[in-house]
Amino acid sequence: MHVRDLIEESVAGMLARPVRSALTTLGTVLGITTLVVTLGVAATAGNQIVGRFDELVATAITVGVPESPNAPLVEWDAIDRLTRLRGVESAAAVSESKDGANVSVRSNDLVDPTRVTAQSLTVLAATTGLPEAARGRMVRGRFYDLGHVRRHDRVAVIGEQAAELLGVTRLDRAPAIFIGEHAYTVIGILGDLRRERDLSSAVLVPPTVGRQFGLRDVTRVLVNTSLGAAGLIARQAPTALSPGNGDMLQVVAPPSPTRARDQAEDDVNALFLILGLVSLVVGAVGIANVTLVTVMERVPEIGLRRSLGAARRHIAAQFLLESTLIGLTGGVIGAALGVVTVVAVSAAKQWTPLLDLRLAVAAPVAGAVVGLLAGLYPALRAARMEPVEALR
Amino acid sequence: MISLVDVVREFPAQPPVRALDRVTLRVGRGDYVAVLGPSGSGKSTLLNVLGLLDRPSSGSYRLDGTETTTLRDGARTRLRGDRIGFVFQAFHLLSHRSVVENVMLAEVYRKSGRAGRRERALAALERVRLSHRTGFLPGRLSGGERQRAAIARALMGDPSLLLCDEPTGNLDSRNTEAVLDLFDELRRQGLTIVVITHEQEVAERAARRVRITDGVLVEE
């Protein structure tokens, strides 16, 4: 029997009862659609969740600057070179005390032994880009600028928590805080930090002022990159910051976002995959049932074909191919419906639809395999039929 | 052409049912033989044995010189497809396929290639004078036309034997006459025809008649 004959006979057999074939196909359509939708929506939603989570993590680089006995490894103005790199959104250099020791900070000069007037806070020197680099915002006032830095102005910006501890709530009267023996004008309160949350309880001063507390050298550089640029910037940053000694800097790049995303997706997918597979099994049972009924109805046709010279394998092949075609058709329609649904859900939720192209190809194949497996028993029954019995 | 010698066909039961009892029948090339008999006499069993649809329990059956009783299933199926054309009382036309497609079906399981299949089917339809109905679905044909379409299918690939099981059983007298005329014509063209029937008038059109009663075959 020619392969084309087998295909033509199977297609004709399938189309002989179009309504029944369509209804049989429906089972696979539902199964495959469920599978594609669940996997597609899971991937899209997973990407959405992880994407938001990633955005913070995946674009944050920290460069640690070890102490150097000679000249500092990173100069304060090296930040300018770094921000010129394409992909760097914001960056700031920070100097903090080596041992992280806190300094006594008071909101007034009065020393009252009966109550606590001093707070032990961290003092850091940082460049002017710190609010952006720490992904925070000025909840009051402003951050110091290059003018303050150049003039060595005794100004300070305090974190939101530090402001609360020091009782600084208003800035319109230019309050001062006392760090050690000297007073510093508080010009801003930094809050809503999404990175370096410890800065909320810190006092920030310009680098030119920080020297008075021993904060001479840059100890850390905070860099934010655009999405996807972190890897590249992580490689370029050391050279930009310290052209001669880049390899001595310690770059902490974000973890691979795909690994985290894959893990989250795997968790979601496992659940939905089971649901989709259950639907598919239901579809397979539907195909098997209808194919079996069809075989019983077509007994005279089987007898005729046997009388015309069809061997058992020809009969089996035809019924198998018919059920496979029904499964394949269901798979193609199901995959298309699934993709459309994922896109529609994504559009409604304003998400970016994420669909693995392999899924769109695998879904029809899965449908065909389901049809093939579902057709095995009916095809065997048809092939075993004796021609004499079939023609009776 | 056909040589049945002492063919017995028994069906398992308590006691076993002997549907064919030491049947001996020789049919030459171009013969037109009618097998007469009442219902349950063993006519259909004989047709099944002759058509290689069933195996005799014992005895010998040679078709065109080939001993068929010792052949394996595959070889019997091939021999059946290549040498024997069947005409059934119920026509057995596929209702969703056109007349010409039904006729072409006869070659699907043969080794002959696809090339020229439609032309051969059209020629077979021409032979039964049904060229004007090639694109029709069987449901739109009269009973006589359906049987002629079934005969055309049986004639595809030039079989050496045409086996007909009550071919006029579902036809009125006018269509019966037309089908029997067609058998006459085919016989004149050299085709071997064996018709199983319980109708005396159908049997009388055959050149030779045999009667089967309780599995025993007797020449008339």
Side-chain angles (χ1 to χ4, degrees), chain A residues 100 248 371:
Chain A
M248 293 177 74

mmCIF file of all heavy atoms in Angstrom, chain A residues 100 248 371:
data_model
loop_
_atom_site.group_PDB
_atom_site.id
_atom_site.type_symbol
_atom_site.label_atom_id
_atom_site.label_comp_id
_atom_site.label_asym_id
_atom_site.label_seq_id
_atom_site.Cartn_x
_atom_site.Cartn_y
_atom_site.Cartn_z
ATOM 1 N N GLY A 100 33.381 49.996 60.530
ATOM 2 C CA GLY A 100 31.946 50.267 60.603
ATOM 3 C C GLY A 100 31.542 50.882 61.927
ATOM 4 O O GLY A 100 30.384 50.859 62.312
ATOM 5 N N MET A 248 42.279 44.621 41.159
ATOM 6 C CA MET A 248 42.299 44.544 42.629
ATOM 7 C C MET A 248 40.917 44.845 43.227
ATOM 8 O O MET A 248 40.694 44.629 44.410
ATOM 9 C CB MET A 248 43.329 45.528 43.186
ATOM 10 C CG MET A 248 44.759 45.123 42.815
ATOM 11 S SD MET A 248 45.953 46.310 43.393
ATOM 12 C CE MET A 248 45.970 45.951 45.134
ATOM 13 N N GLY A 371 -3.315 11.063 20.111
ATOM 14 C CA GLY A 371 -4.194 10.396 19.147
ATOM 15 C C GLY A 371 -3.680 9.017 18.787
ATOM 16 O O GLY A 371 -4.443 8.046 18.711
#
